[in-house]
Amino acid sequence: MGLDVNEGDFAENFTTSGLDLLDLPLGTVLRLGSSVEVMISQIGKVCHKRCAIYYLAGDCIFPREGIFAVVLEGGTVRAGDAIEILERGDGTCPFSPQEAIDEVEAARFAGTL
């Protein structure tokens, strides 16, 4: 979209490649590196306030590509570490705020995401 962006410019904690995160349902448990475990708790986030990226590019990726996870087991992750799917979720996550899930689903249904 004409912007010069690099890893970390969106304040992401992790940038991945070779893994279709959007295909993984809520509740999926991933291992990052040798010991860190996270559970996918939210896919997509309604952009209430138009951020600087939205005004520069005319779009925001968080509603479509923002993946959020809860840390189950902490540790150190380094660039180049492998990501392994330990358990594919069933579409639910005990850590997901229901109001956030409802908001994303309503926006998807309305076609605003």
Side-chain angles (χ1 to χ4, degrees), residues 29-71:
V29 178
L30 305 171
R31 178 179 294 132
L32 308 154
S34 62
S35 63
V36 175
E37 292 184 15
V38 299
M39 179 182 285
I40 296 176
S41 60
Q42 188 171 334
I43 301 171
K45 177 182 176 185
V46 174
C47 187
H48 295 286
K49 297 179 180 179
R50 301 293 188 207
C51 62
I53 297 297
Y54 178 87
Y55 287 111
L56 289 170
D59 193 15
C60 178
I61 65 166
F62 288 113
R64 295 179 309 280
E65 298 184 31
I67 302 292
F68 302 87
V70 174
V71 176

